[in-house]
């Protein structure tokens, strides 16, 4: 490559990244899904766009897309709390297997009977579009700052992180059938699915444990450890795929194992991963936007639009209804899970399989997948936050420090950090001295930053509005400390009192005791002897999460906190609206 051409390429890449990031700021103000912006920027830079860049290499797009997905899934796994598996593992697995198969079948049936496509082509389209996209789900939740009930969020995240193996297997099987005209035997396909899942889980767990041991033993600086983490994830993906198992599932589980370890360097890794995950999403959607030629898409537009509306309004709701039937999810949560079956970069990347395999009408699969993803991001992605609020699934964000500074170089059995908490007039710590705060977890007061000056602990300052309060504590106590120092402060979009009510009670109180303290009105006598904890567990089939509500007589009782075993510690009480 000539030097001038290389410099031009670097300039174009940098320009597209800058434009994408700046456009993301505008998209947030408009409420648009940021991933849609990246995709449109890529299209505008492509063959039919403003820059007219010619890019027609599916091999390069597939390579970049695969690496980007590895980074995104690895990051998503590291940020998944193990408590989420308690409430959502089996529902998510049901969606990732039964739901994927049902979606594929329903989409294929539509394509056959409405658009006269042969069954092999229709099933291949269904397989390509059967997977929800972790990048789209994680990205939209993060960019819109949406905090929804844990049972729903966990189900969507685990599903989107684990349904890729099924979609990949179906796509490869249907691609082979479309190329040869023959379907594999069902037992071969079933065995392949089993090995993808088992092999992916085994490789991911082993890789996660090996990295934790290496991080504790190797004398690496903090600058190199995040790079080692991402390099290890990419390597494990390739090794797992090489033995025929699910590389995507392996890196997701590897991230989960590392993210829930007590590595003192974990915060550093997460900070670097956050930037890498966003860079991956931008790069992936830009390159896929460049690959599409809008003028060619028109040929298959009727098929694509018909499939998109079938997928959104028929196939996904039916698949969710059937998959979640054994788990008795509340109807509001089922509606939201149906609506948030976003399609993102994964279907477009899967649509490259027929292209790379030389299947006839290869443009059909890529163009249909691209249009479906575009429609999904516009219709579903744009409405996630309003639909969540309409269905009353949004909960107050968990209090947390504004900044976390790890003390990783300090030898300690527990990971120590310094946390900063901006104080405003609604913060519980405002107008109090440190010794007046009733923290239930050990934390050491480091001082207050006021107008740029450090007020040391010895001066016993009264915390004022506009201060930044500094404390040192162990990572395991972050929730307890933040509950006092961060709740009600800046960045809290939903009031705790407005959501939970003004009064807090223990979860082990009986309903009779509740009725004796508050005017509950008529209460079913059969539940008076039950504790609030037992009543909630009966109604929510032992999958209780913060934000679950029940109407008891004239009162609305909402779960406020849970202990480590999943029992209710506290509930909020307010008059029924």
């Amino acid at each position: 490559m000539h030097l001038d051409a290389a410099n031009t390429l670097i300039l174009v890449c940098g320009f597209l990244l800058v434009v994408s990031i700046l456009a993301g700021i505008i998209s947030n103000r408009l409420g648009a899904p940021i991933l849609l912006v990246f995709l449109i920027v890529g299209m505008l830079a492509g063959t039919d766009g403003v820059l007219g860049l010619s890019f027609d290499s599916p091999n390069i797009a597939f390579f970049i897309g695969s690496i980007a997905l590895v980074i995104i899934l690895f990051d998503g796994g590291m940020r998944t709390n193990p408590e989420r598996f308690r409430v959502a593992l089996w529902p998510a697995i049901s969606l990732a297997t039964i739901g994927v198969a049902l979606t594929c079948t329903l989409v294929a049936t539509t394509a056959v009977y409405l658009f006269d496509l042969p069954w092999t082509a229709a099933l291949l389209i269904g397989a390509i579009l059967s997977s929800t996209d972790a990048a789209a789900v994680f990205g939209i939740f993060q960019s819109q700052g949406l905090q929804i009930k844990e049972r729903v969020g966990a189900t969507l995240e685990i599903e989107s992180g684990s349904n890729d193996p099924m979609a990949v297997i179906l796509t490869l099987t249907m691609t082979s059938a479309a190329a040869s005209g023959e379907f594999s035997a069902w037992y071969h396909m079933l065995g392949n699915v089993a090995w993808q899942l088992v092999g992916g889980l085994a490789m991911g767990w082993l890789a996660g444990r090996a990295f934790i041991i290496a991080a504790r033993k190797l004398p690496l600086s903090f600058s190199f450890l995040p790079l080692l983490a991402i390099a290890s994830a990419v390597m494990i993906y390739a090794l797992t795929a090489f033995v025929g198992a699910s590389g995507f599932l392996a890196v997701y589980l590897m991230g989960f194992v590392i993210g829930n370890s007590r590595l003192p360097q974990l915060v550093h890794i997460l900070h670097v991963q956050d930037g890498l995950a966003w860079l991956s999403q931008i790069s992936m959607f830009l390159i896929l936007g460049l690959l599409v030629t809008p003028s060619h898409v028109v040929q298959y537009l009727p098929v694509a639009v018909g499939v998109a509306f079938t997928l959104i309004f028929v196939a996904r709701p039916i698949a969710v209804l059937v998959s979640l039937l054994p788990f008795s999810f509340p109807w509001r949560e089922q509606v939201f899970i149906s609506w948030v079956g976003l399609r993102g970069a994964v279907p477009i990347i899967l649509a490259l399989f027929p292209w790379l395999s030389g299947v006839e009408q290869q443009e059909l699969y890529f163009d249909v997948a691209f249009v479906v993803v575009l429609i999904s991001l516009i219709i579903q992605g744009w409405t996630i936050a309003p639909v969540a609020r309409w269905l009353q699934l949004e909960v107050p964000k968990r209090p947390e420090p504004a900044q976390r500074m790890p003390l990783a170089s300090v030898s300690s059995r527990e990971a120590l950090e310094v946390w900063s908490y901006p104080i405003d007039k609604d913060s519980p710590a405002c107008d109090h001295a440190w010794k007046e705060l009733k923290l239930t977890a050990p934390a050491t007061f480091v001082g207050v930053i006021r107008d740029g000056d450090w007020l040391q602990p010895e001066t016993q300052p009264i915390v004022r509005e506009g201060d930044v309060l500094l404390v040192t504590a162990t990572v395991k106590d972050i929730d307890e400390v933040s509950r006092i120092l961060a709740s009600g402060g800046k960045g809290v979009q939903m009031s705790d009192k407005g959501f939970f009510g003004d009064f807090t009670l223990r979860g082990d109180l009986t309903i009779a005791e509740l009725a004796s303290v508050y005017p509950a009105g008529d209460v079913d006598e059969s539940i008076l002897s039950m504790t609030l904890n037992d009543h909630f567990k009966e109604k929510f089939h032992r999958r209780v999460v913060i934000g679950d509500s029940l109407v008891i007589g004239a009162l609305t009782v909402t779960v406020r906190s849970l202990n480590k075993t999943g029992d209710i510690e506290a509930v909020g009480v307010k008059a029924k609206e």
Side-chain angles (χ1 to χ4, degrees), residues 9 78 80 122 196 200 288 307 379 386 391 414 446 469 510 518 521 545:
L9 180 61
M78 284 204 296
T80 301
Q196 287 261 356
L288 293 173
V307 166
I379 295 179
L391 292 170
E414 300 286 350
V446 180
L469 189 150
T510 65
Y518 297 97
V545 296

Side-chain angles (χ1 to χ4, degrees), residues 70 344 389 438 553:
V70 168
R389 294 183 181 109
K438 307 297 182 183

Side-chain angles (χ1 to χ4, degrees), residues 2-36:
H2 193 273
L3 185 60
D4 289 341
N7 288 334
T8 302
L9 180 61
I10 293 171
L11 174 63
V12 169
C13 292
F15 174 75
L16 290 178
L17 286 174
V18 169
V19 169
S20 298
I21 293 168
L22 295 179
I25 298 173
I26 299 172
S27 77
N28 279 337
R29 292 182 177 178
L30 297 175
I34 194 168
L35 303 183
L36 177 64

Side-chain angles (χ1 to χ4, degrees), residues 521-555:
D522 294 329
V523 180
D524 187 353
E525 292 185 1
S526 64
I527 65 172
L528 287 175
S529 61
M530 298 180 69
T531 64
L532 292 168
N533 179 59
D534 291 339
H535 186 45
F536 269 90
K537 286 198 168 185
E538 179 183 73
K539 291 294 184 181
F540 290 95
H541 304 275
R542 308 195 69 79
R543 289 188 176 86
V544 180
V545 296
I546 293 173
D548 280 340
S549 294
L550 289 176
V551 173
I552 300 177
L555 302 173

Side-chain angles (χ1 to χ4, degrees), residues 141-189:
F141 279 1
Q142 188 175 352
S143 66
Q144 297 196 9
L146 188 63
Q147 183 79 17
I148 59 174
K149 290 174 68 172
E150 185 182 23
R151 181 171 48 247
V152 181
T155 300
L156 288 167
E157 288 184 14
I158 297 172
E159 177 206 4
S160 63
S162 60
N163 62 7
D164 292 328
M166 187 71 169
V168 170
I169 293 164
L170 287 175
T171 301
L172 289 173
T173 302
M174 299 309 167
T175 299
S176 176
S180 64
E182 297 179 0
F183 286 100
S184 301
W186 67 269
Y187 47 86
H188 286 156
M189 186 175 173

